[in-house]
Amino acid sequence: MPDRARILVVAATARELAAEELRRSRDRLLQAEHRAGLGNFEHLVGSERLSCSEEMFNIFELPADPEGMKLQSLLNRVHPGDRAVVAAALNEAIERSGRFTLTHRLRFSDGRVKHVQADAEVQADERGGPSSLIGTCQDISLRRKVEIELHDLVKQLRATHEIRLELEREHDLATTVPVVA
């Protein structure tokens, strides 16, 4: 085989190996995101769509769309009680070319609520203005449920402790007060 043909075969093989490694790496990333309940997104400032990972669509329970997620669809899933805070965080981050981390709720038409944590940072264009917002969103519903249950248990424990202290005080009074016959 001439040297030129051998070089072409080696180059083609290297490209195929690189493509296969890229596919495996993407599969591992998708698997990790799914296990962690962590999606990622990129929003081009001024656009009405976000480029999202599959897990973002899963978290928001929206059908996957190769064109991305509509910004309005995302905002419609935000719990009405959290919409103003989410909108303010987004706007402030874009205006100041900053970053935000925000915990908020999603509300679904059947009444279910999910708790999510969003973390995003504005990327600047060549002139220093905001060009995109890149970030992650993680479903923390299970963690939030455990936090609430733990909080409730601590309240119950404190109440039980207060009752015990009161009973001990009453017992001490009953045993220290002499009975007059």
Side-chain angles (χ1 to χ4, degrees):
M1 180 182 292
D3 286 341
R4 183 169 170 85
R6 192 172 294 136
I7 290 171
L8 291 174
V9 169
V10 169
T13 303
R15 260 194 320 273
E16 289 170 9
L17 290 172
E20 179 57 31
E21 179 54 34
L22 184 59
R23 276 190 296 278
R24 283 197 308 268
S25 179
R26 183 177 185 280
D27 289 346
R28 286 192 305 270
L29 174 62
L30 291 173
Q31 214 173 51
E33 281 190 345
H34 181 69
R35 286 189 174 135
L38 178 72
N40 72 76
F41 64 89
E42 179 178 14
H43 171 64
L44 299 177
V45 175
S47 168
E48 292 301 316
R49 289 196 173 268
L50 292 89
S51 173
C52 299
S53 68
E54 287 179 27
E55 195 57 27
M56 275 292 289
F57 287 103
N58 291 339
I59 291 168
F60 282 79
E61 297 183 18
L62 292 169
D65 184 343
E67 293 182 20
M69 184 184 296
K70 290 181 181 177
L71 181 59
Q72 194 57 50
S73 296
L74 179 143
L75 294 174
N76 287 344
R77 285 283 199 243
V78 174
H79 191 284
D82 296 344
R83 282 187 187 143
V85 173
V86 171
L90 285 168
N91 290 333
E92 185 175 337
I94 291 170
E95 287 173 13
R96 297 176 188 234
S97 292
R99 175 187 189 115
F100 73 87
T101 298
L102 179 65
T103 299
H104 64 90
R105 298 166 292 171
L106 303 179
R107 186 169 181 195
F108 299 91
S109 59
D110 62 3
R112 286 178 305 113
V113 172
K114 282 185 184 180
H115 294 265
V116 296
Q117 182 169 335
D119 183 73
E121 185 171 16
V122 172
Q123 304 297 303
D125 61 19
E126 61 279 349
R127 292 173 288 174
S131 67
S132 64
L133 184 68
I134 297 175
T136 60
C137 184
Q138 184 171 26
D139 183 349
I140 61 166
S141 299
L142 181 58
R143 181 176 87 191
R144 184 70 181 125
K145 180 182 177 208
V146 169
E147 288 171 352
I148 290 168
E149 288 173 357
L150 181 60
H151 177 74
D152 290 347
L153 286 172
V154 167
K155 280 175 51 178
Q156 289 175 357
L157 183 59
R158 285 186 178 142
T160 302
H161 182 68
E162 288 299 320
I163 291 169
R164 180 175 173 237
L165 290 176
E166 184 61 34
L167 290 172
E168 286 176 358
R169 280 192 288 271
E170 288 177 11
H171 180 270
D172 288 346
L173 284 176
T175 57
T176 58
V177 176
V179 176
V180 179

